[in-house]
Every structure is written in structure tokens, then in C-alpha cells.
Amino acid sequence: MKIDESWLQHDSGEGDGLDPLAIEVEASASFNNTFVTVEKLDNFVRAHTKPRMVQRSNSFIRAHDLNISGHDLQMDDERTDRDTSDRANGSLVCVDRNGQLVMNALVDIGLAEALDESSRWVATSSTASVLKKRSSSKQRSKTGMGPWKNAAHGKDVLVWSSKCFRPGHGEEYPVVKARGMIFASAKEVVDLLKDSRRVGLYNKSSLGRKDKFVLATNSIDSEAKIMSSLTKPPIVRKPLECLSLFHARQLTKGDNVELDGNGKGFVTVGRSVWENEEGEPDGSNSSTIRCEILLSVNLVRDVSTADGSRLCELTIITHVVSPAGIPLFIGKKAALTAADGFIKDVRAVFET
């Protein structure tokens, strides 16, 4: 059956995105009352629509490690091929003009980091002990544990660190990975992570997070925004301010991520943005320290259970520039502790 696509809106103007209920009503009329399942509609809309650009943020983001061709970039003015190549390889690019390009690239490197189970990752002592016992017992739960390598189980939290293998800005700072089970569905967890109003539920150091600009929205499964957050970790004198791009979406077959049966999967990625092309804060707030997130990833996958209860696995990646004055080894130790705590604190939200 050929589907009448005339009822779909593909413009990039302002708005709240496509309303699935309105789509279903319109589709019913367009299909001359031919029965079409909601699942077919959902798949069709996801395949034929793009997130709608809603607001301009005038923000810039590092793209040195995103494998973006200079010829693909859209600039604010006319530049030479060498200018655009330099911009892609080492400088910052405009988020408003290159948002989808940047978000797709961030998802690519984010999933590559989260799914990498190679020997580059050095486990903490507690994680190494858990994995050694699991290997020696040669036992694996049939349910309540993902089918992928180094899957989390029960209340264990697995934590690793690695050198950064993406050359360029910030490569001297370690990358941290953590993984643990959450007693909720993947959709419930990603909805929590997207909601700036609920950050305080799982981040005790948070002084607040605000959505400054909504860059793109798709009412089915995608969201992109510029967020401003304040945190006060115990190792710093002033609150840390972070201005970042946040993008969340549901995984598709094209992402090549192993899922558990018919369970769903979601990914969120984040990276700091700046007010100018130099990658420097505007200096308007002297009471805070601007921090830089090079990469933040949350990979959430449903896990099947024997009794049908909701369960998912959360894998996080953090790659952050340590605040000025904090030695690398102290920053690394703090990052490992924070990653372990993040998994446990998100889990606690759904245990209450």
C-alpha cells in the first residue's frame, strides 16, 4: 500500500513538532479508513521526518574529533576551503547552522566509546574483582542481565577509565565509563535524564539546571537543547557553571547497538558550547568557574526479566576537563567516584 504523505509537515519553522495523535487522525482520513497500526505510523513518521529547529542559540561547539568534513559545514559568512577545513579539524563550529551534523557525530563517537569493551579500559579494583568472579564461575543469568559483554547484574556498579584516543583538545584528560542496573524501563530513565527539573533527585551537588534554548524537537523520540547548569562538588572553591548541548533519541537498527530481545534503547550525548568561536566564556559571571565537558554519554537499554518487571542497564561515559588548579590524578579519582555515585543515585530515584 502506498502511503499518502501529504499530511506530513516537513518545514523547519517554529513549533512543537509532530503530534502523534493528530497524525493518527489525519492518517485515518488519508488512508480512506484503511487499517494502519500505530506501530506502522510510528515507524513511518520516524523514517520520514527530521527534528524541527525551534530556536537559535548563537552557540559554538568543538568539532576537532567529530570527523566532520569542512565541506559539510555551514558558515556564517563566505570562507575558503582551507578555512572550513581548519574549522572542522581544530576550531569551533556554529551549533545553529550545523546542529544535526554535530549531534549525529556526537552520537557516533558516544556509542563507539560506550560499546567499546577492548583492553584499553582499566577496571577499578572492585570492578576487576566482580568480573574475575563472574569469569571463574562461568555462570550467567538468563534474565536480569543484558546479553552483551561485561553486562551489569544486580546492584553491582562497574567502573573503568581509559586514556583518550581522540586526538586534539583535551586528549590529556582520562575518559571514565560506568555501568549498572536501574529498576525502571529505559524510557523512564531517559525521561528522567532529559528533565532539568528533576536533576536534584540524582545529583546532590546540583544547584540547578535550566533549558536555555530548544534547538530541535520531535514529539516521538528526539530532543536537542542548550542547557545551563550549576554544580558545587566538594573539591572546588566556586560553583562550576556549564553551558552544554544535550541531545537524546531512541536507538534504531542503523545504530548497530545490541539490544535485549524486543527491549528499547536510548542514547543521550552532551558537549560544552561557548558564546564565541574562541571557546572562551564571556566572563559575565565571576562568581562561578566555567567547566568544560568534552563528552557525556548515557546509553540506556531495556533488560528482560523472568517476572516481566521493568529493568534496564545504564552505561555512562564522561570526559571532562579538570577545573584550573586541580591536578590530573585528583581529577581522575574524583571522576571515578562521581561515575559510581551517578549510577547509584539514578538507581535510588526508582527505588523510593
Side-chain angles (χ1 to χ4, degrees):
M1 178 183 68
K2 180 175 174 56
I3 296 179
D4 178 6
E5 302 180 22
S6 62
W7 49 275
L8 284 173
Q9 301 299 315
H10 295 277
D11 65 274
S12 58
E14 295 186 359
D16 295 326
L18 296 172
D19 180 350
L21 180 59
I23 288 174
E24 187 175 354
V25 173
E26 287 287 337
S28 177
S30 297
F31 299 153
N32 297 319
N33 296 319
T34 300
F35 178 74
V36 179
T37 66
V38 173
E39 181 181 2
K40 288 182 178 179
L41 284 172
D42 179 72
N43 292 336
F44 178 76
V45 172
R46 184 177 290 113
H48 290 77
T49 60
K50 296 180 180 180
R52 302 175 66 177
M53 301 308 295
V54 179
Q55 292 177 293
R56 292 181 62 86
S57 67
N58 297 317
S59 300
F60 297 85
I61 192 167
R62 297 193 192 279
H64 61 282
D65 58 347
L66 298 184
N67 297 318
I68 296 175
S69 168
H71 295 286
D72 294 330
L73 293 174
Q74 295 186 39
M75 316 305 294
D76 286 325
D77 50 18
E78 293 185 2
R79 300 178 187 271
T80 65
D81 288 344
R82 181 175 179 178
D83 287 335
T84 53
S85 178
D86 289 344
R87 184 66 54 86
N89 293 329
S91 300
L92 286 81
V93 300
C94 177
V95 173
D96 295 324
R97 290 179 174 269
N98 303 282
Q100 196 61 54
L101 193 66
V102 168
M103 288 186 288
N104 289 342
L106 281 174
V107 168
D108 286 344
I109 66 170
L111 289 176
E113 294 276 22
L115 298 172
D116 181 10
E117 304 298 338
S118 70
S119 59
R120 63 172 276 210
W121 296 98
V122 179
T124 61
S125 57
S126 60
T127 297
S129 177
V130 169
L131 295 178
K132 184 178 180 179
K133 290 179 181 178
R134 183 184 297 175
S135 176
S136 62
S137 67
K138 296 183 180 180
Q139 292 180 352
R140 180 174 185 162
S141 300
K142 292 183 179 180
T143 60
M145 184 177 181
W148 40 84
K149 186 178 179 180
N150 292 333
H153 184 252
K155 292 198 172 185
D156 291 331
V157 176
L158 309 176
V159 184
W160 301 264
S161 64
S162 169
K163 292 182 179 180
C164 177
F165 284 84
R166 303 186 312 277
H169 179 79
E171 64 180 325
E172 67 271 27
Y173 296 96
V175 184
V176 171
K177 176 166 69 173
R179 177 174 292 157
M181 304 304 297
I182 311 295
F183 304 104
S185 69
K187 180 67 165 58
E188 289 173 314
V189 172
V190 80
D191 283 346
L192 172 69
L193 299 176
K194 290 192 298 183
D195 191 345
S196 293
R197 298 167 299 178
R198 294 195 283 168
V199 171
L201 295 178
Y202 56 86
N203 185 348
K204 307 309 178 186
S205 298
S206 175
L207 300 179
R209 192 180 87 185
K210 296 181 179 179
D211 299 343
K212 292 179 68 71
F213 302 97
V214 177
L215 301 180
T217 182
N218 177 312
S219 59
I220 294 175
D221 58 21
S222 182
E223 179 177 324
K225 56 190 176 182
I226 301 294
M227 308 185 305
S228 175
S229 63
L230 279 179
T231 57
K232 182 61 175 68
I235 64 172
V236 296
R237 181 171 51 89
K238 293 181 179 181
L240 299 180
E241 178 187 16
C242 185
L243 193 63
S244 60
L245 169 68
F246 175 90
H247 173 50
R249 69 169 174 82
Q250 186 172 344
L251 296 172
T252 66
K253 289 184 178 180
D255 293 313
N256 295 316
V257 176
E258 185 176 8
L259 299 178
D260 191 356
N262 295 321
K264 293 182 178 180
F266 299 85
V267 62
T268 82
V269 291
R271 172 168 287 188
S272 288
V273 296
W274 305 90
E275 298 91 330
N276 52 60
E277 295 177 89
E278 285 69 47
E280 299 175 352
D282 59 12
S284 61
N285 191 353
S286 60
S287 63
T288 63
I289 301 173
R290 179 67 68 86
C291 71
E292 181 170 11
I293 298 172
L294 296 170
L295 184 64
S296 171
V297 183
N298 295 288
L299 171 62
V300 198
R301 294 180 277 186
D302 282 325
V303 174
S304 61
T305 58
D307 60 2
S309 59
R310 297 189 302 275
L311 185 67
C312 70
E313 183 190 85
L314 172 61
T315 300
I316 69 170
I317 297 289
T318 53
H319 186 202
V320 181
V321 174
S322 299
I326 304 296
L328 273 176
F329 75 95
I330 294 180
K332 177 181 177 180
K333 184 176 180 180
L336 290 169
T337 301
D340 179 90
F342 181 84
I343 298 286
K344 292 176 179 176
D345 289 340
V346 171
R347 177 188 295 159
V349 172
F350 297 96
E351 291 178 332
T352 56

